[in-house]
Amino acid sequence: MEAYQEFHRRSIEDRDAFWRDEAALIDWQTPFSEVLDYSRPPFAKWFVGGRTNLCHNAVDRHLQSRAAQAALIYVSTETGQRHTYTYAELHDEVNAWAAMLKSQAVGRGDRVLIYMPMIAEAVFAMLACARIGAIHSVVFGGFAAASLATRIDDAKPSVLITADAGMRAGKTIAYKPLVDEALSIARHPPKKVILVDRGLVPFTRTEGRDLDASTLREQHRGARVPCEWLESSEPSYILFTSGTTGQPKGVQRDTGGYAVALASSMRRIFCLAPGETMFTTSDIGWVVGHSYIVYGPLINGSPTIMYEGLPIQPDPGIWWKIVEEHKVKTMFSSPTASRVLKKQDVSYMKRHDVSSLSYLFLAGEPLDEPTARWANEALGVAIVDNYWQTETGWPILAAQLGVEDTPRKFGSPSFPVYGYDVKLVDTLTGKDVGTDEKGVIAIEPPLPPGCMTTVWGNDERFVSTYFETIPGRQLYSTFDWATRDADGYYFVLGRTDDVINVAGHRIGTREIEEAVQAHPAIAEVGVVGVRDEIKGQVPVAFAVAKDASRVADGAGKAALAREVMQTVDRELGAIARPAQVHFVTLLPKTRSGKLLRRSIQALAESRDPGDLTTIEDPSALTQIREALAKA
């Protein structure tokens, strides 16, 4: 592992020289004068004074050498639509969308909220924002109106872009009513809504506010909008992630550092040469979609596949058919999707020629060894576990195959990625832990290029949330437990805080609790994440009803549980719906009133609930046990 170790050592000990070399992978309109400004810890500014543009690097700079090459390959098994956009065609579409936004007075630094299904127009909108220097905030289309409204109020966008509907498993999900409701309750609603009409559901336009995307597109066909050259540290986008307080955090990303990190990672980690195809099965509403459906592959000059649909429809071979048709070299998916496919007949996989595929990267939640082995044996390709977060924007732990093809261990995302000075620390003492000892994954700042630069509009929250939780040291906490073996391989164990991981989507338990309590019959609730064979974790709720007579029998409990789930669907979205709702008359708390979520979770997973000397009323745990036994 000498090559990897030397590469990583240089990235930490000689940051300026190392990142100056990596910065040559992108175009700079104005060269940077300083690689790193770390004069105000823990805030880092990379490539100071350099001016660049994400859209230029993702689209324009490829026109001379690969204008006719595929750039964006759109496949929807929900609607049957397919379309391949070359770099030249993508350039045309992005320019038209940039002109559309400018016609609505959107400019540098203005926010644009994108609430879209997995359609090509969502990519056009993201790149158009980057082109004109606007800051996009993509909100996952599965979020309900109330969640959308909180993100609107935080970002304060001048324009919102949406569609009439999305589709999943053949079911139409109407977006327009959710947008209308969100705008009615938001304190800072945008003045204009640009709507893509897919013809999936009827809807009513709000006069003077709602604009038809296809009409605007025709008005600006053939437009040419110059790129707005941004100083490297200017924000490119905001992406909201769940927090333990119930109030989502707006992860703010810079421009130059992000472009360099992605360009570098495409070569050093994902082993993709320009012209080679990448298929990432995530959603643009999540960070993986931002980094490795949209910006990373396009910056690299690689065709990228955008897929709307499930991995098992029209049959469980659909992904492998796409791999065969488009000669995919690198695929990026999740352990959850792999566990779903593992349950299907392997013949669906075998009927397609996947010989072009060299790597399957898996991330989003811890990858269990049986799933990793199955994928490796069934596909006959390298399975590359990797670990990162919305906050970092690109991997923290991974095998860096473009640096050295180090041996991999099933269940481990391997080693720290270059640029990350990773520590494993005791959360009580702040000291580094030893081999095979459990600690929290932490990063010695400065964070490398590509990572979040702050919490949108709240520098204080950035520092207090991420850099003040480890005693005696200013370290970035990932809030994830891990161990490290004698060979230096990391094994990620799970969260230290009250954020759960449902099929790779991070959701705060407080957010779900607040949604449950929006039901007028619920007095109190505790939500925990419980292990699940397919999704990794699912939320389970333990609720106290205001009127105990409503849950006096099985029928009453079932009826109220259904109502609670519908309330969560409405408040947060189906993605946050509890897998089960149990009813008790009191919740286990300490004498100071703190909810003992860890003990509840342990009981739900048939584990020892631990030290209960601080519990106020032990009978609460008895009720939890009885509720679980009856389920």
Side-chain angles (χ1 to χ4, degrees), residues 349-467:
M349 186 181 293
K350 299 297 185 184
R351 69 179 57 165
H352 297 289
D353 178 6
V354 296
S355 58
S356 64
L357 191 64
S358 296
Y359 307 102
L360 173 60
F361 287 80
L362 296 173
E365 73 262 26
L367 174 62
D368 57 287
E369 183 173 339
T371 299
R373 284 193 182 279
W374 168 82
N376 176 248
E377 292 166 5
L379 281 171
V381 302
I383 306 302
V384 189
D385 189 1
N386 60 115
Y387 160 82
W388 47 299
Q389 303 179 310
T390 300
E391 289 88 344
T392 64
W394 63 299
I396 300 170
L397 302 172
Q400 289 127 83
L401 304 177
V403 178
E404 182 180 0
D405 192 353
T406 51
R408 287 174 294 286
K409 294 185 180 183
F410 289 122
S412 170
S414 294
F415 313 113
V417 168
Y418 55 92
Y420 290 95
D421 190 0
V422 177
K423 311 292 182 185
L424 209 54
V425 299
D426 186 301
T427 55
L428 296 178
T429 67
K431 295 180 180 179
D432 290 1
V433 302
T435 299
D436 295 325
E437 292 181 346
K438 180 173 145 180
V440 69
I441 301 171
I443 303 165
E444 184 87 50
L447 298 179
C451 292
M452 71 184 297
T453 52
T454 189
V455 170
W456 172 255
N458 198 333
D459 285 354
E460 185 179 335
R461 191 179 183 193
F462 174 64
V463 177
S464 63
T465 299
Y466 296 104
F467 292 93

Side-chain angles (χ1 to χ4, degrees), residues 547-562:
D547 180 359
S549 66
R550 281 207 62 178
V551 291
D553 56 33
K557 290 177 181 178
L560 186 53
R562 284 193 298 273

Side-chain angles (χ1 to χ4, degrees), residues 8-219:
H8 185 269
R9 183 202 62 75
R10 183 169 173 261
S11 74
I12 302 301
E13 296 180 5
D14 194 3
R15 283 190 175 93
D16 278 18
F18 180 91
W19 286 110
R20 188 179 298 278
D21 290 346
E22 297 302 294
L25 291 171
I26 72 163
D27 282 0
W28 296 90
Q29 190 252 3
T30 302
F32 48 88
S33 57
E34 185 180 6
V35 173
L36 171 65
D37 175 358
Y38 194 54
S39 59
R40 191 166 71 99
F43 299 92
K45 290 185 176 182
W46 288 95
F47 312 115
V48 179
R51 304 182 82 78
T52 188
N53 182 281
L54 277 176
C55 183
H56 167 84
N57 278 286
V59 183
D60 297 57
R61 72 172 179 151
H62 300 301
L63 295 178
Q64 188 171 355
S65 58
R66 55 186 76 248
Q69 179 204 291
L72 177 64
I73 301 165
Y74 176 66
V75 179
S76 173
T77 53
E78 299 288 354
T79 62
Q81 291 183 320
R82 289 170 171 251
H83 193 92
T84 297
Y85 298 87
T86 65
Y87 270 97
E89 290 167 337
L90 181 60
H91 183 254
D92 288 343
E93 294 291 346
V94 171
N95 270 277
W97 274 80
M100 288 161 57
L101 290 172
K102 287 184 78 70
S103 74
Q104 302 308 310
V106 177
R108 184 176 188 152
D110 292 332
R111 275 78 64 207
V112 174
L113 194 137
I114 300 172
Y115 183 69
M116 295 277 270
M118 288 289 285
I119 55 177
E121 287 85 352
V123 177
F124 304 157
M126 291 171 70
L127 290 167
C129 289
R131 188 172 197 85
I132 63 174
I135 301 166
H136 64 67
S137 182
V138 182
V139 175
F140 175 59
F143 279 126
S147 295
L148 177 58
T150 63
R151 288 153 174 80
I152 290 169
D153 284 336
D154 202 61
K156 299 180 179 62
S158 54
V159 168
L160 185 149
I161 302 173
T162 190
D164 60 335
M167 289 191 73
R168 186 167 179 81
K171 179 183 176 183
T172 302
I173 303 160
Y175 281 27
K176 183 60 163 60
L178 295 171
V179 168
D180 288 343
E181 184 182 350
L183 296 185
S184 71
I185 58 179
R187 298 187 308 277
H188 303 282
K191 294 178 180 178
K192 298 293 181 181
V193 173
I194 297 175
L195 189 137
V196 176
D197 184 0
R198 305 179 73 190
L200 296 178
V201 293
F203 60 89
T204 303
R205 297 186 193 279
T206 298
E207 193 67 32
R209 186 196 72 186
D210 296 348
L211 306 170
D212 180 64
S214 61
T215 301
L216 281 175
R217 169 72 181 79
E218 282 304 308
Q219 291 172 358

